[in-house]
């Protein structure tokens, strides 16, 4: 074999789409997980009656009681195994993804990206409504082929052993993935980190990308974003909607994103969340005020949005794959990208505003941030994890948002 042909063969093998083996966690690992949960060393309760000191003891203990005695990981495993999943190598790293093709002709390919503290479990509820819209009150003309990848370092994807897998790198990899699957025209969607990655795809603007949809749009002008981060009062020239958004994101910067700073500076120090399942759970619950309130209600017999199993499916997947720290490093890798600032998207963009998102997006800033804004809608309910919390509304938004690009 010549050197050239060996290289070509090696490249072809790396580019191959390989089936992902069924998830089948050994029972011994689940037994050990329950043992650790049930042997948690608890601190005393917080010295306040609200959440200002963090995730409350009562909520965490209610979660642990259910997790350690009643929660059944096998149900999540079965839902995952019912879906077609694959692995492919991109830039030396194995990328895991779900890929479900619609039965409808002319379905539009979409790649949907999760965030932190998340995984592919966030998107499971939207797969059938998007690929099979006629079974969910939609039209065949609104069907999607859907690709849901696990971000590098998350879930079943490979854990980067070297630096460089920043959001822009992931954005480029997603274009490689979609083209490798044979999609020469496609759209992209994301929330949280998925929104950052999706918008960077819109900045990179590969010719195959028709447009994007975001439910956490980067809309803050650079000077406004900088002022909010510094703690300065709202600029005097803001409209009422803009002032509300400013004050909301300022609260996030000052009171609600401590985890982001920690992971951005010293992710490797977080051994506690790799060693303690309850420590991991508490860290994941403390993402944002609205989400925490919803989750606390769920573990106090509430039902709106997520279920107890929803919450624990995501945490358990992270625990079983030992990806707490490899996922955390994405914050460290993020150099120079504001979480919420304008990024310079040039492709057609659809925006959905869920009321319990980290900040309410003003239309005025969305129009400035996205010169080709093709859809803007405010929803009656839902928050940061919109696809997970409100899959029906979310699916309807994707259908409407991308309709003009078909």
């Amino acid at each position: 074999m010549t050197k050239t042909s060996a290289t070509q063969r090696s490249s072809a093998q790396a580019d191959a789409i390989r089936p992902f083996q069924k998830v089948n966690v050994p029972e011994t690992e689940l037994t050990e997980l329950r043992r650790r949960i049930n042997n948690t060393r608890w601190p005393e309760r917080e010295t306040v009656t609200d959440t200002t000191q963090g995730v409350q003891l009562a909520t965490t203990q209610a979660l642990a009681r259910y997790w350690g005695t009643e929660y059944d990981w096998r149900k999540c495993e079965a839902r995952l195994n019912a879906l077609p999943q694959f692995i492919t190598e991109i830039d030396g790293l194995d990328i895991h993804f779900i890929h479900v093709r619609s039965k409808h002709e002319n379905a539009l390919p979409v790649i949907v990206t999760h965030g932190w503290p998340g995984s592919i479990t966030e998107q499971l509820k939207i797969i059938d409504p998007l690929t099979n819209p006629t079974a969910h009150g939609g039209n065949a003309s609104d069907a999607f082929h859907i690709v849901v990848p696990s971000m590098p370092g998350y879930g079943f994807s490979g854990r980067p052993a070297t630096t460089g897998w920043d959001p822009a790198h992931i954005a480029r990899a997603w274009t490689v993935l979609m083209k490798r699957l044979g999609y020469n025209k496609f759209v992209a969607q994301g929330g949280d980190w998925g929104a950052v990655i999706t918008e960077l795809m819109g900045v990179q603007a590969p010719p195959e990308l028709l447009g994007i949809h975001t439910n956490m749009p980067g809309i803050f002008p650079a000077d406004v974003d900088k002022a909010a981060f510094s703690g300065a009062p709202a600029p005097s020239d803001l409209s009422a909607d803009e002032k509300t958004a400013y004050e909301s994101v300022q609260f996030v910067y000052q009171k609600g994103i401590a985890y982001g700073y920690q992971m951005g500076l010293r992710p490797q120090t977080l051994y506690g969340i790799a060693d303690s399942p309850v420590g991991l759970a508490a860290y994941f619950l403390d993402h944002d005020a609205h989400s925490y309130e919803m989750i606390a209600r769920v573990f106090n017999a509430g039902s709106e949005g997520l279920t107890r199993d929803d919450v624990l499916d995501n945490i358990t997947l992270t625990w079983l794959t030992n990806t707490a720290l490899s996922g955390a490093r994405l914050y460290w890798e993020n150099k120079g990208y504001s979480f919420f600032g304008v990024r310079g998207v040039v492709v057609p963009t659809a925006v959905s505003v869920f009321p319990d998102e980290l900040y309410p997006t003003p239309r005025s800033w969305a129009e400035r941030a996205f010169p080709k804004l093709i859809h803007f809608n405010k929803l009656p309910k839902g928050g940061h994890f919109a696809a997970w919390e409100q899959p029906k509304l979310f699916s309807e938004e994707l259908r409407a948002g991308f309709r003009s690009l078909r």
Side-chain angles (χ1 to χ4, degrees):
M1 182 179 292
T2 67
K3 183 177 180 179
T4 301
S5 60
T7 301
Q8 289 172 339
R9 179 184 174 191
S10 176
S11 176
Q13 289 173 335
D15 292 351
I17 305 293
R18 293 132 45 200
F20 178 72
Q21 294 182 349
K22 298 288 186 181
V23 182
N24 185 19
V25 175
E27 190 62 34
T28 54
E29 290 191 31
L30 300 178
T31 300
E32 171 63 9
L33 170 58
R34 288 189 289 268
R35 185 195 69 80
R36 286 173 176 256
I37 294 166
N38 294 327
N39 284 279
T40 298
R41 184 171 73 167
W42 295 101
E44 67 282 356
R45 70 174 298 277
E46 58 279 0
T47 57
V48 293
T49 58
D50 55 25
T51 62
T52 54
Q53 291 183 354
V55 177
Q56 293 161 301
L57 182 64
T59 297
T60 313
Q61 288 184 326
L63 178 151
R65 280 193 298 272
Y66 180 73
W67 198 10
T69 58
E70 297 181 55
Y71 170 75
D72 184 2
W73 161 255
R74 299 299 183 193
K75 292 179 180 179
C76 181
E77 207 171 64
R79 285 195 300 275
L80 291 170
N81 288 336
L83 295 167
Q85 299 175 72
F86 305 89
I87 291 277
T88 193
E89 183 182 315
I90 300 177
D91 296 341
L93 190 72
D94 274 347
I95 299 297
H96 162 266
F97 60 97
I98 296 168
H99 181 203
V100 181
R101 290 184 58 85
S102 175
K103 65 182 180 181
H104 296 294
E105 291 185 18
N106 302 315
L108 178 63
V110 60
I111 182 166
V112 185
T113 309
H114 66 80
W116 183 97
S119 65
I120 53 171
T121 60
E122 289 182 44
Q123 277 76 40
L124 296 184
K125 298 176 190 176
I126 64 170
I127 291 174
D128 200 62
L130 292 179
T131 58
N132 188 20
T134 54
H136 298 268
N139 299 317
S141 58
D142 285 329
F144 292 88
H145 303 308
I146 188 168
V147 177
V148 183
S150 298
M151 290 195 297
Y154 288 71
F156 301 115
S157 278
R159 289 174 280 185
T162 58
T163 61
W165 277 97
D166 64 359
H169 189 169
I170 299 172
R172 292 190 296 271
W174 282 184
T175 297
V176 171
L177 173 59
M178 293 301 278
K179 291 170 66 176
R180 192 172 290 178
L181 291 172
Y183 295 133
N184 295 319
K185 296 293 179 184
F186 61 87
V187 294
Q189 196 287 326
D192 194 86
W193 274 121
V196 177
I197 291 163
T198 298
E199 289 181 17
L200 287 171
M201 293 176 74
V203 174
Q204 296 165 1
E208 298 83 6
L209 183 64
L210 297 174
I212 66 171
H213 174 276
T214 173
N215 54 286
M216 193 193 81
I219 44 85
F220 290 90
D223 58 335
V224 174
D225 192 39
K226 183 178 180 181
F229 185 83
S230 73
S236 59
D237 60 345
L238 301 185
S239 70
D241 286 350
E242 292 168 352
K243 187 172 185 290
T244 299
Y246 181 92
E247 291 171 347
S248 296
V249 81
Q250 187 173 72
F251 175 84
V252 171
Y253 278 139
Q254 293 181 340
K255 303 287 188 181
I257 201 170
Y259 58 86
Y261 299 146
Q262 171 68 32
M263 291 186 285
L265 292 169
R266 312 283 285 179
Q268 192 65 29
T269 300
L270 294 169
Y271 295 97
I273 65 173
D275 186 62
S276 165
V278 168
L280 177 67
Y283 203 73
F284 274 19
L285 260 60
D286 204 11
H287 180 273
D288 67 275
H290 289 302
S291 296
Y292 173 71
E293 288 171 9
M294 174 182 60
I295 291 169
R297 288 197 303 270
V298 167
F299 284 98
N300 189 29
S303 61
E304 177 65 25
L306 305 181
T307 67
R308 293 183 298 180
D309 282 2
D310 287 335
V311 175
L312 289 171
D313 287 345
N314 178 56
I315 299 169
T316 305
L317 176 59
T318 303
W319 175 264
L320 294 173
T321 55
N322 193 18
T323 50
L325 265 62
S326 56
R329 292 191 195 103
L330 180 57
Y331 285 82
W332 186 91
E333 289 284 357
N334 184 48
K335 312 294 186 185
Y337 300 114
S338 165
F339 289 118
F340 313 119
V342 173
R343 276 174 268 278
V345 174
V346 295
V347 302
T349 304
V351 172
S352 298
V353 182
F354 289 85
D356 289 337
E357 183 51 274
L358 303 183
Y359 49 85
T361 295
R363 185 177 188 116
S364 57
W365 280 348
E367 290 172 344
R368 289 172 58 184
F370 307 113
K372 297 180 180 178
L373 186 67
I374 56 172
H375 174 85
F376 181 90
N377 189 36
K378 293 185 176 183
L379 284 301
K381 61 182 177 179
H384 185 71
F385 302 99
W388 211 12
E389 300 167 24
Q390 301 295 337
K392 182 176 186 295
L393 291 176
F394 185 89
S395 299
E396 290 169 351
E397 279 297 286
L398 259 65
R399 295 175 197 151
F402 287 130
R403 196 165 287 143
S404 65
L405 299 181
R406 293 178 178 269

